[in-house]
Amino acid sequence: LNLKNNIPWWGKIIIKMILSKINVSYHLWKKLKLFQHGDMCKPDYAYSVFIKHFENSKFHRKSSGFVSMELGPGDSLYSALIAYCFGAKKSYLIDTGQYAIDDPTSYMKMVDYLVAKGFTVPNIDGVSILKNVLDVYNAKYETDGLASLKCIADNSVDFIWSQAVLEHIRRAEFREVIRETRRVLRDDGVCSHQIDLKDHLSFSLNNLRFSDETWESDLMANSGFYTNRLRYNEIIRIFEEEGFNVEINNINRWDKLPISKDHLNEKYAVMSDDELLISGFDVILSPK
Ligand SMILES: C[S@@+](CC[C@H](N)C(=O)[O-])C[C@H]1O[C@@H](n2cnc3c(N)ncnc32)[C@H](O)[C@@H]1O
């Protein structure tokens, strides 16, 4: 019996809201497998995600020393090592908290994985703190979200990418984050984002049942299941208004709405089925 899969969406909201009020570090929740951002602690997953974004992206300095930025790395900073192997001379990893594993021996697992793939990777044997691991790969981990982005110089990054992150940016900050990515991106750079539009409760649209007022309250938004509920067309419009050309690589759709429109908040119930059926997409953004 898989308990997690048998808890209804509303039960997950209640449980997560209660647990988020208990003062326990993210690292302990992760150990207990109650909250976890993703699978970035697995070298093969981290590698496959990086490769997907990198292969989809064309940018001027791709083969000659580029600056890479991952938004929302989550549970590990493995992508800094991977980006180095693919020619990054510098990497930024920007999140909203220190969620990444900080034990250097985990990073040695990623080194071993890359060596087995035939890459020449700087040795980190004996390096005892994460900061020194990152220094070896000229990587910076910044954990103050939008404020961290604002500290990065204009026109200085070649390749910005994210995996299942943009839907988690607080709605009130979303446009400004996109504006900042445009500001830091070089005119010949590129962004690649994968965006998941399913609720983070039971892979459905239960998040659209609520009014903005309820959903955007700090209690809801800080309980580990928050998504900003921006739908496909609104996200694309913001990208365009903030100075990007948009190329859609892939769109995932449900065959039919996963819940009846009767259950949705009126703001979403009036949207077209075409809009609501989109459950995720991959997009490439280049400067206009
Ligand atoms: C679902 S996790 C995905 C983690 C990782 N990319 C993966 O694929 O496993 C979402 C991540 O986005 C981060 N995030 C949320 N808002 C952000 C923001 N404004 N800037 C940067 N990262 C953000 C979260 O802290 C979290 O690490």
Side-chain angles (χ1 to χ4, degrees):
L1 178 82
N2 185 335
L3 196 60
K4 218 160 130 194
N5 288 348
N6 284 294
I7 300 173
W9 65 270
W10 52 266
K12 288 180 187 161
I13 288 187
I14 294 169
I15 293 168
K16 289 200 167 192
M17 281 201 315
I18 294 169
L19 292 179
S20 72
K21 287 279 152 204
I22 303 172
N23 196 10
V24 173
S25 77
Y26 172 71
H27 295 282
L28 181 57
W29 286 131
K30 210 167 82 179
K31 271 194 192 133
L32 299 172
K33 298 204 184 319
L34 287 170
F35 289 98
Q36 189 167 340
H37 285 130
D39 279 328
M40 283 298 195
C41 281
K42 296 181 184 155
D44 55 345
Y45 175 79
Y47 186 84
S48 67
V49 169
F50 179 87
I51 286 286
K52 179 187 78 173
H53 290 286
F54 192 67
E55 284 182 349
N56 284 341
S57 302
K58 293 191 189 78
F59 52 97
H60 188 68
R61 288 170 192 76
K62 193 167 180 178
S63 53
S64 63
F66 57 91
V67 178
S68 164
M69 175 187 284
E70 179 181 7
L71 293 179
D75 292 339
S76 86
L77 307 178
Y78 289 171
S79 75
L81 285 62
I82 305 167
Y84 180 96
C85 289
F86 282 85
K89 62 175 186 191
K90 179 171 190 167
S91 295
Y92 294 102
L93 304 105
I94 312 266
D95 212 315
T96 51
Q98 299 217 358
Y99 306 122
I101 192 159
D102 59 2
D103 170 10
T105 56
S106 304
Y107 292 83
M108 279 155 73
K109 267 195 322 194
M110 190 70 230
V111 169
D112 291 346
Y113 181 91
L114 291 165
V115 168
K117 285 225 168 267
F119 293 103
T120 305
V121 191
N123 192 350
I124 52 168
D125 281 352
V127 177
S128 59
I129 58 167
L130 178 60
K131 157 93 178 56
N132 294 351
V133 172
L134 295 178
D135 285 349
V136 170
Y137 296 94
N138 203 15
K140 300 238 173 311
Y141 182 35
E142 304 292 349
T143 56
D144 208 3
L146 178 58
S148 299
L149 261 179
K150 285 188 170 174
C151 295
I152 293 169
D154 292 2
N155 202 26
S156 61
V157 181
D158 299 285
F159 174 45
I160 300 178
W161 60 280
S162 73
Q163 176 74 16
V165 172
L166 297 196
E167 70 272 17
H168 292 281
I169 295 172
R170 285 296 294 262
R171 192 181 187 101
E173 278 191 353
F174 185 85
R175 180 181 284 278
E176 214 179 341
V177 169
I178 300 306
R179 185 172 300 159
E180 284 300 301
T181 60
R182 176 63 195 93
R183 181 186 64 76
V184 303
L185 189 68
R186 288 190 210 267
D187 290 342
D188 51 12
V190 78
C191 306
S192 171
H193 301 292
Q194 191 272 337
I195 304 169
D196 182 357
L197 298 180
K198 301 187 285 298
D199 72 38
H200 286 42
L201 297 160
S202 46
F203 313 108
S204 174
L205 288 174
N206 293 297
N207 53 346
L208 307 190
R209 293 171 183 260
F210 298 87
S211 68
D212 279 348
E213 200 188 357
T214 305
W215 189 257
E216 293 295 329
S217 67
D218 284 342
L219 178 62
M220 285 290 228
N222 296 329
S223 296
F225 51 78
Y226 176 81
T227 54
N228 54 39
R229 309 193 300 172
L230 292 165
R231 303 305 299 173
Y232 176 83
N233 278 297
E234 199 171 354
I235 296 173
I236 300 298
R237 186 163 51 75
I238 293 172
F239 288 152
E240 288 175 344
E241 286 172 358
E242 294 307 326
F244 287 109
N245 291 312
V246 177
E247 182 193 330
I248 303 299
N249 259 352
N250 174 48
I251 301 192
N252 297 317
R253 290 188 173 83
W254 283 290
D255 295 335
K256 63 181 185 69
L257 288 179
I259 59 176
S260 158
K261 275 183 165 179
D262 298 343
H263 298 307
L264 301 186
N265 176 265
E266 61 203 22
K267 175 175 162 187
Y268 296 99
V270 296
M271 287 185 176
S272 70
D273 284 12
D274 274 356
E275 178 78 284
L276 294 170
L277 283 169
I278 299 177
S279 62
F281 61 104
D282 292 71
V283 64
I284 299 289
L285 305 179
S286 51
K288 278 188 183 170

